[in-house]
Amino acid sequence: MEARYEVLRRATEEVAAVDAHAHNLVEHGSAFPFLRCFSEAEGDALALAPHSLSFKRSLRDIAALYNCEASLEKVEKFRSAEGLKSIGSKCFQAANISVILIDDGIAFDKMLDLESHKAFAPVVGRVLRIERLAETIINAESFSGSSWTLDSFTESYISKLNSVSNQIVALKSIAAYRSGLEINPNVSKTDAEDGLRKELTGPRPFRITNKNLIDYLFTCSLGIAVSLSLPVQIHTGFGDKDLDLRKCNPLHLRAVLEDERFAKCQIVLLHASYPFSKEASYLASVYSQVYLDFGLAIPKLSVHGMTSSLKELLELAPIKKVMFSTDGYAFPETYYLGAKRARDVVYRVLSAACEDGDLSIQEAIEAIEDIFRRNALNLYKLNVVNGSINHETAIVGKRVSLSSVEEDVLFVRIIWCDASGQHRCRVVPAGRFYEITRNKGVGLTFAAMGMTSFCDGPADGSNLTGVGEIRLVPDMPTLVRLPWSRHEEMVMADMQIRPGEGWEYCPRNTLRKVTKVLLDEFNVTMKAGFENEFFLRRKLVSNGVEMWIPYDNTNYCSTSAFDGASSILQEVYSSLKDSGIVVEQLHAEAGKGQFEIALKYILCTVAADKLIYARETIKSIARKHGLVATFLPKPDLDDFGSGSHVHLSLWENDQNVFMGSSKDNFHGMSKTGEQFLAGVYHHLPSILAFTAPHPNSYDRIQPDTWSGAYLCWGKENREAPLRTACPPGVPLDLVSNFEIKSFDGCANPHLGLAAIVAAGIDGLRRHLKLPEPIESNPSDHSSKLKRLPQNLQESVESLSADKVLHELIGDKLVTTAIAIRKAEINHFAKNPGALKDLIDRY
């Protein structure tokens, strides 16, 4: 049966879903317990949630997504280390959700505002909870509750509701939680006013519980909804223990449904009305205004319960009235679980319907599109096409048009950095990007990760050819507007071999993989801060010959150099700031026309992304000013070289654990710090094949040039390739980080950092120790110290023999890197003049 209905499986997996009912996410560190991700229970009852079928299944689902051990402790540790942006990106990309409609009427601790959710879905709409609005009005008024009459309250309520009507997509009622669904549509104003007075005598903040007042508010809101053409979502069926389940059967709504005043009010019964799914199905079949939403029932029930509930909804209800939602809340994982299980359950139910003869396969495919997308688009008047806005939709507080989106943003650059360290991009028009590419990515040939700096073809021996394709999938939290080209955006891409599965040649995935090992085995993360050195060149035409010459001829930290380039550097700084990149220092360097911009240290996976964005920014703004900025290590063999020095530190639970203490101090380092650095020291010749990956890199790494030519380390020794650092504010007998000097602008930052982490892991596993530090110029000890590789061939030989890096980085990726390096060696040995072509490429 699986093979026969594979087309259905693909349809359920690929449809960009509209999540028609969800709630706000919370920031990391919220007091709302993560265990609530799995259960509606609270207090002592919540402690037993791990023994439910739903918990056990859902925990495995999350662990599989995070590629970690299926235990609550490991999942919580992983999400703590990754942070909300990374976790949210993983969950929402896997969920393939294009629109979220959020009921923001639940007040969570450290709750994100609606705007923040746009980092995870392109379209975010607001659902207004009527009971919350009513309570907010009364609680927020300056005059006393005794001043209220039913008429004054109603006038204020209608005024407030009308004032936000163009900012919302639907209303919602939780009357089921307060007094039940047996609404009296003809409740008298006298009874309602009496109910209001009784409520006002109670404690503040005010919370509506009086049935007469709730019934009045409910029917009043339905009338407004009819006039504004807004659907009304109604909580039905199960929930937390505040409700009386006996009063949550949607059949209690019959008096409302029979009332002619509300015949045109589109009512959505939430949560599959479980355990009253059959009753809900009946109502949807006989009342034109009734629609069904199965969020919460999926994924909170067992597989059998979810499947049975959806089957019951479809027993009588028209497919055009049944809709998907996650009922996601607080944690991105709830969105992921809701979407993952909904896709599986819809496939199960519809394939069974095909098998039974109820549906043809084509009809089932249409049903998938209806359930996950079209029904909600039509009901909530979103008019969204495959994830982007087409005509008019509510987005975080206002209705906007797609034409305005396309007028604002024309192109989106999908960025990747290949194994030779070159930045590349595929550019997609904004409309198509937000319709399709955002979720499905773009195709890319296998050969792209085997290319060299001199040829757009795979290197011999890379094992990558033009046969085979991966997907470049945008990592949406990295999306930024280009400050120098305001009608464009750029976004980093993950390379996936199939949806949700990282390609083994993907540099970003490789760095995530090794940092996960570091976290899982040692509960440690690594932070990185890069120092970007680069040369500015200006064009000179002499006798008809075009040359690129140094921007100036000044010295280290020259004030005149900075003054001359100040307007450019100001624009670079502002652009980096706009992109969320923090600059700590900038100055003129020792080379002719050379400058340095130092970036703040952050989690290494993020630092690598931001380094790529920083390089893009610097090069683009220089080009805008008629200049060329190059990060090539040694563009002029008679001048100084440029590095991309990186400062690294180790962290556990927000504490720097690289730094020593009074009880644990080896030249200022902790035992963990020493062992990690010892691993880097031990593998440094191999690491250079990733951090100094070009033949030109070794023209820079020379003695007496502050580039680290000898295998050694030292405290504050700028001639050593590994320098432990004691920045201002750190006690003089301690160090807070270490610097690697032999890292340059030809390196893919993800692969360079991955090699460093892999080496550090080996140091921690084997409890390696450092030799004594070198406290003077290593050249003075040249007879005793070993030179680091003096050319790329020596680095490649070290890497070829390094089993640890092969194992942790991946043998296939290392093999490809070696093939690319060998091709570079051969080409530039035969064509030394080709160096000038690289100024534009790095």
Side-chain angles (χ1 to χ4, degrees):
M1 181 171 147
E2 283 286 333
R4 180 180 175 190
Y5 298 117
E6 180 58 28
V7 65
L8 291 187
R9 173 70 75 182
R10 286 203 308 273
T12 55
E13 289 176 351
E14 293 178 3
V15 61
V18 174
D19 188 350
H21 178 254
H23 305 277
N24 302 64
L25 296 169
V26 300
E27 296 176 4
H28 178 66
S30 169
F32 193 71
F34 180 62
L35 193 54
R36 287 291 302 274
C37 175
F38 305 94
S39 175
E40 291 286 292
E42 299 180 52
D44 293 342
L46 183 61
L48 295 172
H51 301 286
S52 67
L53 299 180
S54 173
F55 174 90
K56 294 178 184 297
R57 180 193 69 242
S58 298
L59 186 66
R60 289 195 301 272
D61 287 344
I62 295 171
L65 177 67
Y66 295 162
N67 192 27
C68 69
E69 181 185 319
S71 73
L72 188 61
E73 178 187 4
K74 291 294 185 181
V75 166
E76 291 197 272
K77 180 187 292 186
F78 180 88
R79 64 192 314 279
S80 177
E82 289 287 305
L84 178 61
K85 279 193 174 182
S86 176
I87 291 297
S89 176
K90 290 178 190 292
C91 289
F92 279 88
Q93 282 192 16
N96 191 10
I97 292 171
S98 60
V99 180
I100 314 172
L101 305 185
I102 294 179
D103 161 23
D104 58 355
I106 302 178
F108 296 120
D109 178 54
K110 296 185 179 179
M111 185 170 79
L112 298 185
D113 59 24
L114 293 187
E115 181 71 26
S116 300
H117 293 76
K118 289 175 68 178
F120 307 117
V123 179
V124 179
R126 183 187 181 199
V127 176
L128 188 145
R129 184 179 293 200
I130 63 173
E131 292 84 3
R132 180 67 181 274
L133 176 61
E135 291 160 356
T136 301
I137 289 170
I138 296 177
N139 288 324
E141 291 297 336
S142 58
F143 51 90
S144 68
S146 60
S147 304
W148 282 110
T149 65
L150 187 66
D151 286 340
S152 65
F153 165 72
T154 303
E155 181 182 354
S156 181
Y157 178 77
I158 293 174
S159 174
K160 293 282 189 181
L161 191 48
N162 282 328
S163 71
V164 298
S165 62
N166 68 335
Q167 302 172 21
I168 59 178
V169 296
L171 301 180
K172 178 184 173 182
S173 172
I174 56 165
Y177 272 101
R178 303 297 177 84
S179 56
L181 294 178
E182 198 169 357
I183 304 292
N184 176 9
N186 299 308
V187 61
S188 70
K189 289 185 67 175
T190 301
D191 289 340
E193 182 128 38
D194 181 63
L196 177 61
R197 281 198 301 267
K198 289 178 179 177
E199 294 284 14
L200 292 174
T201 60
R204 297 295 181 101
F206 178 77
R207 182 176 183 270
I208 301 174
T209 57
N210 182 273
K211 183 180 185 317
N212 288 331
L213 182 57
I214 289 172
D215 290 355
Y216 176 82
L217 179 65
F218 187 95
T219 53
C220 178
S221 299
L222 290 191
I224 298 171
V226 171
S227 67
L228 296 175
S229 297
L230 288 172
V232 179
Q233 299 180 347
I234 300 176
H235 181 104
T236 62
F238 76 131
D240 62 43
K241 68 178 184 178
D242 278 356
L243 58 75
D244 183 340
L245 189 58
R246 296 167 298 179
K247 297 179 180 180
C248 297
N249 188 325
L251 291 179
H252 289 309
L253 290 169
R254 189 169 181 276
V256 172
L257 299 176
E258 288 287 331
D259 194 310
E260 286 296 321
R261 292 173 296 169
F262 313 129
K264 299 297 184 183
C265 184
Q266 295 164 312
I267 291 175
V268 183
L269 306 181
L270 296 173
H271 313 318
S273 298
Y274 181 85
F276 310 112
S277 302
K278 289 181 179 179
E279 290 86 340
S281 180
Y282 164 73
L283 292 175
S285 72
V286 296
Y287 290 101
S288 62
Q289 70 266 46
V290 174
Y291 294 77
L292 309 175
D293 181 306
F294 54 73
L296 189 66
I298 301 173
K300 288 296 191 283
L301 304 179
S302 68
V303 172
H304 173 77
M306 293 186 291
T307 305
S308 298
S309 181
L310 183 58
K311 281 184 175 180
E312 289 177 357
L313 291 185
L314 293 174
E315 291 287 346
L316 292 172
I319 292 171
K320 291 287 186 183
K321 288 186 166 189
V322 179
M323 289 172 290
F324 157 81
S325 76
T326 63
D327 199 25
Y329 57 90
F331 311 107
E333 292 86 349
T334 59
Y335 285 82
Y336 166 66
L337 293 171
K340 174 180 171 59
R341 284 299 158 184
R343 295 178 192 277
D344 180 64
V345 170
V346 168
Y347 166 74
R348 287 170 180 260
V349 172
L350 295 184
S351 59
C354 291
E355 194 71 14
D356 293 341
D358 285 334
L359 293 174
S360 68
I361 291 178
Q362 186 56 45
E363 288 169 335
I365 292 173
E366 288 293 310
I368 289 166
E369 186 72 17
D370 285 339
I371 290 169
F372 280 103
R373 188 168 187 80
R374 275 197 296 252
N375 294 346
L377 295 180
N378 293 333
L379 178 66
Y380 297 104
K381 302 175 183 64
L382 298 176
N383 239 350
V384 178
V385 182
N386 291 327
S388 87
I389 315 142
N390 186 24
H391 294 300
E392 185 175 85
T393 184
I395 300 188
V396 191
K398 58 182 178 180
R399 296 185 185 264
V400 300
S401 65
L402 179 58
S403 60
S404 69
V405 172
E406 289 226 304
E407 287 171 9
D408 191 35
V409 179
L410 295 178
F411 300 135
V412 182
R413 304 181 189 183
I414 303 174
I415 307 284
W416 78 97
C417 185
D418 67 18
S420 71
Q422 294 180 91
H423 299 186
R424 300 178 185 264
C425 73
R426 296 284 288 276
V427 182
V428 181
R432 180 172 178 83
F433 179 84
Y434 284 103
E435 288 173 6
I436 297 172
T437 310
R438 177 189 177 276
N439 291 307
K440 297 185 178 180
V442 294
L444 184 71
T445 175
F446 282 3
M449 275 302 288
M451 294 177 179
T452 65
S453 68
F454 62 85
C455 176
D456 283 342
D460 291 341
S462 66
N463 297 324
L464 296 173
T465 70
V467 178
E469 183 172 275
I470 55 131
R471 307 298 290 179
L472 285 175
V473 180
D475 183 3
M476 291 304 292
T478 67
L479 183 76
V480 297
R481 181 71 62 93
L482 300 190
W484 63 90
S485 181
R486 299 301 298 180
H487 291 296
E488 295 185 66
E489 295 172 329
M490 64 179 172
V491 63
M492 292 298 300
D494 284 320
M495 296 175 169
Q496 297 183 359
I497 193 65
R498 57 182 59 87
E501 182 180 338
W503 192 35
E504 55 201 331
Y505 295 90
C506 175
R508 297 180 84 232
N509 188 61
T510 299
L511 179 56
R512 283 194 293 261
K513 179 179 69 175
V514 294
T515 54
K516 180 179 180 298
V517 174
L518 181 65
L519 178 65
D520 287 349
E521 293 190 18
F522 304 102
N523 199 30
V524 166
T525 59
M526 186 175 81
K527 293 185 179 182
F530 284 95
E531 298 174 359
N532 295 272
E533 294 177 337
F534 59 94
F535 285 94
L536 290 178
R537 295 284 189 258
R538 58 187 175 89
K539 186 188 292 186
L540 176 68
V541 180
S542 177
N543 297 324
V545 178
E546 191 177 274
M547 298 178 292
W548 289 96
I549 64 172
Y551 183 71
D552 63 24
N553 190 25
T554 56
N555 53 6
Y556 173 71
C557 282
S558 166
T559 54
S560 60
F562 193 89
D563 190 55
S566 181
S567 62
I568 301 168
L569 296 174
Q570 285 179 34
E571 188 171 349
V572 167
Y573 171 77
S574 296
S575 296
L576 292 174
K577 185 178 180 181
D578 286 349
S579 300
I581 299 172
V582 179
V583 174
E584 293 200 326
Q585 290 189 48
L586 57 169
H587 59 82
E589 263 295 349
K592 297 174 183 177
Q594 188 185 33
F595 295 86
E596 177 181 304
I597 297 179
L599 307 180
K600 181 176 176 60
Y601 67 90
I602 47 178
L603 195 66
C604 66
T605 48
V606 181
D609 289 343
K610 290 189 181 293
L611 178 63
I612 291 173
Y613 280 0
R615 292 174 181 170
E616 285 292 302
T617 301
I618 293 166
K619 290 176 72 70
S620 297
I621 289 175
R623 190 177 298 113
K624 177 180 172 182
H625 286 265
L627 307 174
V628 167
T630 182
F631 294 87
L632 194 66
K634 196 84 166 177
D636 184 346
L637 299 182
D638 295 323
D639 200 353
F640 290 95
S642 286
S644 186
H645 314 153
V646 61
H647 287 257
L648 303 164
S649 52
L650 304 176
W651 295 77
E652 180 179 352
N653 299 326
D654 296 325
Q655 295 295 317
N656 186 333
V657 294
F658 181 82
M659 187 187 302
S661 66
S662 58
K663 298 180 180 179
D664 183 14
N665 189 330
F666 176 80
H667 294 281
M669 289 175 277
S670 67
K671 185 176 182 180
T672 296
E674 181 200 358
Q675 291 178 359
F676 188 94
L677 183 55
V680 175
Y681 172 91
H682 180 79
H683 291 278
L684 192 55
S686 305
I687 292 172
L688 259 60
F690 289 105
T691 61
H694 199 275
N696 185 248
S697 301
Y698 298 83
D699 294 324
R700 168 183 168 262
I701 302 176
Q702 298 294 326
D704 306 317
T705 60
W706 293 13
S707 58
Y710 292 90
L711 181 57
C712 63
W713 75 278
K715 182 177 180 181
E716 298 295 7
N717 188 340
R718 284 172 167 77
E719 279 290 355
L722 301 174
R723 170 176 78 101
T724 58
C726 177
V730 174
L732 293 178
D733 62 332
L734 300 178
V735 292
S736 65
N737 66 86
F738 70 97
E739 177 188 29
I740 296 184
K741 308 286 287 187
S742 42
F743 203 123
D744 66 43
C746 290
N748 178 305
H750 297 89
L751 295 181
L753 291 174
I756 292 165
V757 173
I761 289 170
D762 187 49
L764 291 168
R765 283 175 173 175
R766 294 199 287 148
H767 309 292
L768 295 179
K769 293 186 176 296
L770 285 167
E772 287 300 305
I774 298 299
E775 297 180 345
S776 58
N777 191 333
S779 294
D780 298 339
H781 307 269
S782 58
S783 61
K784 299 179 181 179
L785 292 176
K786 180 181 178 181
R787 272 293 301 269
L788 282 172
Q790 298 184 55
N791 53 59
L792 183 56
Q793 180 62 41
E794 292 181 8
S795 294
V796 167
E797 290 171 359
S798 294
L799 178 60
S800 297
D802 197 317
K803 295 180 180 179
V804 170
L805 266 59
H806 277 260
E807 174 197 347
L808 287 170
I809 293 175
D811 187 64
K812 290 183 179 179
L813 179 53
V814 171
T815 298
T816 295
I818 288 172
I820 293 170
R821 307 299 181 256
K822 287 181 176 179
E824 305 275 16
I825 293 166
N826 292 335
H827 178 80
F828 288 97
K830 296 174 183 177
N831 303 279
L835 176 67
K836 66 180 186 300
D837 297 329
L838 299 180
I839 289 175
D840 288 315
R841 300 191 180 190
Y842 294 101

